Every structure is written in C-alpha cells, then in structure tokens.
Amino acid sequence: MTVLDDIIVGVREDLESRRAQVPLAEIKRLAAEAPAARDAYAALGGNDSPRAALKVIAEVKRKSPSKGELASIADPAELGAAYERGGAAVISVLTEQRRFNGSLADFDAVRAVVDLPLLRKDFNVEEYQIFEARAHGADLVLLIVAALDDTDLKALLALTHELGMNALVETHTAEEIDRAVAVGARIIGVNVRNLKTLDVDRSLFAELAGRIPAGAVVVAESGVRSVADVRDYASQGANAVLVGEALVTMGDPEATVAEFGAAGSEAVAARR
C-alpha cells in the first residue's frame, strides 16, 4: 500500500464519522445556505492575460507525513490574517486529521477573519466532502488526480463548479496532466512530491508545466524553501506557488509571503 492509499483509508474512516453526525441531506442544506463562493480562479490571475504577477497560496499547515511536526499554530486565525496582510491571493487550510493534524475547526477559524478565497485542502474522494467544503465557506477544493478515476474526477469537478467553487486539480505526471485537461480543469497544480514515496524532485516542474494549455492557472506545489525556489518556479511557467512548510517555520509569515510574491513577480516579468 502506498502512502497515498494509506492516507485515503483514514480519510474515508473519518468521513464516515462526520457523515454519521451530519447526514448528506443536512450538509447539502448547509452548503446551499452558505454565502456565495469567492472567485479563486480570478484571484489567481486566471482572467489576466498575460499574467503579470506570481500569486501565493499560503497554507495553514501543522504537520506533514514527510517532515512530521512543523508548527503548533496555536491561533490559525491570526496566521491566516498574517497571510492576508502579506498579500496572499488564496489561503489553504489543511483539514486532514491523521497525517496533517488539520481540522475543519482550523478552516472555520480562518474563514471567520479573512476575506480571501479559501482552499479546503484535503483528500477529497466523495461528493459529501465537496458539499461539506461549501457548507464551511470554502471557495476552492483540492482534487488529486492520482486518488480518483476519470469518472469520479469528472463528477467531483462538475459538482465543485455547480456549487460555485473552483478546484485545484493536482497532478504529478504527464498522464495525470492530460487527464486533468480532458475533464476541463482550469487550475492545475504540478506537485513535485511523489505521493507514493514522498520524495521531492523539483526538476519535474519545468518538464510537466509545459503540457498545461494556455488559459489554465499553473500552480507549483511542494519544494518551496526559499526565494530562489519561488523564482525558479516562476521562471519555469508557474502562475502561482502553494507554500506551507516555509511559511510556518520561517518566523515571519507576513513578511515571507510578501517576499515570495515580489520575487516571483519579478521572475514572471523577466520571462515575458
């Protein structure tokens, strides 16, 4: 069993517990009553042509399977507010419990204080989770191509759009990018971390990003440790970077978001 397979087993078990407390019919009602979703595609520059700035997706991340504990994050709301002050375009909040020590409570805390689009970062494999995300005020959800067959990927993406949200469709290989494009993904992430082994290979980004068609927002995921990494991704075609570990461990998340955004935007301008 791969790391991804093992994570999804736990995700499904935890989902059953939540579904027992809040049935699908109720979560659908709550999703329908939630305020309209913010436009994450536009926030990430999807309507801009050519895109003149690199956008930062700043992540509230306590723990990871590869590094273990990263930060205790006593106040996720304050961290989210710092990201907003630093100029983040979107804030990502991990809600997976077992491997990332995340929760919907963290998501709710951030949602209560920021006005930016929020990504509910989890291993979404069933429609319940998409309705649940919308019920909690999510504007963007994660769909991992490696975790879904084509039928489920298409159905969950369609449901996401029906609910007014966008999806970050995460890929790791050329074949997965082709599958994402085929179902109409508009925000495509290239994750250079192999979710089966957790190894990181930053060189994959340049190779894979070129397969993504114009019009889609290209997001670089994993491996961002410094300004130099941000510049590299921006110069290789990234429209946005998703950063978690560096922001929660470097001591000044507001300043780091601003620094990453400025450095990436300079690199975007240089490649035009």
Side-chain angles (χ1 to χ4, degrees):
M1 179 180 286
T2 68
V3 174
L4 177 60
D5 293 334
D6 187 51
I7 290 173
I8 290 174
V9 168
V11 164
R12 289 188 183 278
E13 290 175 358
D14 294 338
L15 172 57
E16 287 310 310
S17 297
R18 298 197 306 277
R19 183 158 34 207
Q21 296 175 8
V22 184
L24 178 60
E26 176 65 5
I27 208 71
K28 285 183 174 181
R29 183 186 68 77
L30 294 171
E33 293 176 354
R38 295 159 180 80
D39 189 345
Y41 179 73
L44 292 171
N47 295 331
D48 300 336
S49 183
R51 298 181 183 115
L54 185 90
K55 307 296 186 178
V56 177
I57 304 173
E59 189 157 85
V60 177
K61 185 176 187 178
R62 299 174 182 274
K63 181 180 177 182
S64 78
S66 60
K67 296 290 183 67
E69 297 290 341
L70 299 173
S72 59
I73 309 182
D75 189 347
E78 172 51 34
L79 179 58
Y83 288 160
E84 186 171 36
R85 292 193 301 270
V90 170
I91 296 175
S92 168
V93 182
L94 274 153
T95 61
E96 196 280 331
Q97 301 172 39
R98 301 188 185 202
R99 295 297 189 102
F100 294 88
N101 198 24
S103 68
L104 283 164
D106 283 351
F107 188 95
D108 292 341
V110 177
R111 177 75 291 166
V113 299
V114 304
D115 225 8
L116 298 177
L118 291 194
L119 164 64
R120 190 258 176 108
K121 183 87 174 289
D122 212 315
F123 295 78
N124 295 303
V125 291
E126 293 191 23
E127 68 168 12
Y128 183 97
Q129 295 164 288
I130 309 301
F131 283 109
E132 182 180 54
R134 184 80 281 275
H136 283 264
D139 311 291
L140 187 64
V141 296
L142 179 69
L143 297 178
I144 301 173
V145 175
L148 301 163
D149 62 28
D150 286 343
T151 299
D152 287 340
L153 177 61
K154 184 175 182 179
L156 292 181
L157 181 61
L159 176 59
T160 299
H161 290 160
E162 286 170 16
L163 294 176
M165 296 186 292
N166 283 283
L168 169 58
V169 180
E170 181 176 295
T171 65
H172 304 82
T173 66
E175 183 264 342
E176 289 178 7
I177 288 174
D178 292 345
R179 290 176 57 202
V181 171
V183 298
R186 300 197 304 161
I187 305 171
I188 299 178
V190 176
N191 192 340
V192 298
R193 185 183 302 280
N194 185 320
L195 290 186
K196 297 180 180 179
T197 66
L198 300 184
D199 294 333
V200 170
D201 182 356
R202 292 175 187 82
S203 68
L204 285 174
F205 181 80
E207 174 187 336
L208 297 176
R211 298 183 68 90
I212 299 174
V217 171
V218 181
V219 181
E221 301 181 58
S222 296
V224 177
R225 306 157 300 176
S226 65
V227 163
D229 294 325
V230 174
R231 286 198 184 106
D232 284 346
Y233 281 140
S235 67
Q236 293 162 3
N239 306 123
V241 291
L242 191 155
V243 191
E245 180 181 336
L247 296 180
V248 300
T249 60
M250 290 179 74
D252 190 341
E254 179 180 344
T256 305
V257 168
E259 186 179 19
F260 283 1
S265 295
E266 288 174 5
V268 169
R271 79 174 190 235
R272 290 172 61 190

